[in-house]
Amino acid sequence: MAVKAVMHIMERDIRYFFRFKWWVAGMVSMNLADLFIMAVVYTRMVNPNLVVNYFVFFAPGLTITALFAAAFMIGREVNMEIRRDIIHYMLSLPIKRWELAFGRVLAGSVRGLIYMSPLLLTTLAITYLYTSVFPSPLELFTIIFTLFLVAIGTSGLSISLALSTTSFEKYITMRGVVYYVLFFCSTVFYPMTLIQSSLPTPLVLIARYNPLSCGADLSRAFLLGTPPFSFWMLLDLGIFALFFALVAAFAYRRAMQK
Amino acid sequence: MAPIIRTVNLTKKFGSLVAVDHLNLEIEEGEIFGFLGPNGAGKTTTLLMLITVIKPTEGTAYVGPYDVTREPDKARTLIGMAFQEPKLLWVSTPWDVLDWHAKVCGLSSEERRKRVRWALEELGLWNERHKSIHGFSGGMRKRVEIAKILIQRPKIAIVDEPTAQIDIVGKHRIWNMIRALRDEGSTIILATNELYEADVLSDRVAIIHKGKLLVCDAPKKLKDSILGGDVIEVVLEKEVPSKIVEELKAINRIVDVLAVKPNCLKIYLNQAEEVLPRITEFFMKVHMPVKSIQMSEPSLDDVFVHYTGLTIEEAQKR
Ligand SMILES: Nc1ncnc2c1ncn2[C@@H]1O[C@H](COP(=O)(O)OP(=O)(O)OP(=O)(O)O)[C@@H](O)[C@H]1O
Ligand SMILES: [Mg+2]
C-alpha cells in the first residue's frame, strides 16, 4: 500500500511535467546549444594547464546543473499549491504524510533525470569522440546512481524550501541564493585547483562538499579519469539525498500545523 | 451507538481571532449533519480540523475511534472532503483529476472507470471530460470538486457548500447524489449557509456563529422553536375588520397577525401546515372569501436572528 501511494503521488507530478513537454524540449535544446557555444568559445580561451579540454570538462558540469534546475522545479509547484490552498487537498488524501513527501521527492528527482537524459547522452558522446573512453556498465550505473542521489537531494531541498513559506517572492529569493551559492562555489564550471587558488577558505570548503561538485566530479572520474574517484564523494551525496528527503517529509508533517 | 464524530472543546485561533471556539458536537453514524452559519462562522475551519489539514489550537476531535491530533493518518482513512473552493490544477482535465483521486483512494481500476464515468455523466461533464479545467466556469469546477467525494464514497463525507455556484437543476441532482451516498452507508457533514439546503437534506442541523455552537437539532424543530417561524400571507376579497384580526390571533400557534394592506394579512405562526386548515375554515365561517393564500418558510435569517438577536448583516459588521 505504501509503495502504491508513493507511486500515485509520483504519477501526478510526472504527468504534470509532461503537460509541459514542449517547453521542456525547448529548455533542453537551449542547454545543448549552451554546451556547444561553450565548446566553441571557451575551449580555446581556457588555459590548457588548468583544463586540458574545456569542452569535455564542462559537459558533465552542465549536465549536473540541468539536473539540478529540473529537479528543483517541483518546489515551485509545491509553493504554488500552498498559495492556492491546493495543499489542503493533498493533505486531506487518505495517505500518510511521509508517503506524500517521498512521492513528491522521488517525482521531482525522476523529472530531473528525464530532463537530464539527452544532456547525459550528449556528454557521453562528446567524451567518446574526444577521448575514446566509454564507461563500463558498472561505471555507467555508478554515474546514473550518483546523478539520482543529486536529484533526490535537490528535489527534497526545493520542497523543504517551498513548504517553509507561503510567499512566492520569498521562495524565489531563497531559490536564487541556493542556485548562486551552489553554482558559484562548485567544480561545475571550473576545476578544484582554480577554486583553491582563487577563493577564500570557507568558499573552498563549500565547493568541496557541494553536492554539485561531487556529482560533476564523480562523472568526470569515470569519463575523464580526473579528479580520481573517491568514496567520500558518494557518501557526501548519499547524506545530501537522505537529509533533504527527510527534511521534506518533516516539512509535510509540519504543514498541518499552519 | 457511539457517535462517529465527536469534537471536544475544539478550538482554532488565528492570531487573536478565535475562528472556532470550544466546539462540542456529536455526529451520529449514517446521518446527514448540516453545519449552518454565516460567512466566517468557522464552518470550513472546523471541517479542515476534522480532516487533519489544520491542527486544533486547543481541544480535539475524534473521527471514528481516532483522535485527529494523535492519529491523523488513521483518521484520514475514514474521511473525505469536497472543498468549498475547488482544489484543482488548472492544467488538468476532469477525467485525470477524478481518475487519480479514485486511484489514491484505493479503488480498483475497473471500479474507478465505472464510478468516474457515472459521476461525470450525472454531473453533466461527460463531454468536457478531456478538456482543460482552465476554461471551466465556476460551477463546472465545483462539479468536478464534488464528484471527487461521490466517487470516493468515504465512510464520512464532508461537503463544504456543495452547491454554491451551481444552477438549480444541478443543485437538485447533487442533493439527490448526496442522499444516495448516505443511503449507501456514508455519514455526511454538509456545511452551508443556505437554510433551504440544510433543511431539505439534513437530519440534524448545528448553527454556529463566531466559532460558537448556538443550537443543534432537527431542522423542523429548529424552525418551530422560533416564534412565528412560519409566515402565511392571505389575500381576501374584501377589507378585513379589526375584530376578525383579533379573533385570528386567538387561534392556537398563531403568534401575530399583521394587516399589510386592508385586504391582505400576514400571519406569523408555528407549524403552519397544521394550522393552515383551521385558518381557511375560519375565513369560511366568518364569510370572508379568500383570493389567495401563500405560505413561506422561515429563512436562515429568522432562525439566526432568533438565536443571536442579530440579523446576519449586523452580525457581520461586528
Ligand atoms: N488561514 C487563516 N488565517 C487567518 N484567518 C483565517 C484563516 N482561515 C480562516 N480564517 C478566519 O477564520 C474565520 C472562520 O473562517 P471559515 O472559513 O471557517 O468560515 P466559514 O464559516 O467557512 O465561512 P464561509 O461561509 O464564508 O465559507 C474567518 O474570520 C476567517 O477570516
Ligand atoms: Mg467556508
Side-chain angles (χ1 to χ4, degrees), chain B residues 43-44 84 160-161:
Chain B
K43 303 182 293 291
T44 302
Q84 180 176 357
D160 195 351
E161 304 194 9

Side-chain angles (χ1 to χ4, degrees), chain B residues 2-33:
Chain B
I4 197 158
I5 297 252
R6 191 158 59 91
T7 70
V8 183
N9 288 326
L10 189 67
T11 302
K12 180 71 191 181
K13 293 182 187 158
F14 294 110
S16 62
L17 176 89
V18 188
V20 178
D21 196 353
H22 297 87
L23 198 64
N24 290 293
L25 279 179
E26 290 192 351
I27 299 175
E28 301 298 332
E29 189 165 354
E31 73 176 333
I32 299 184
F33 188 85

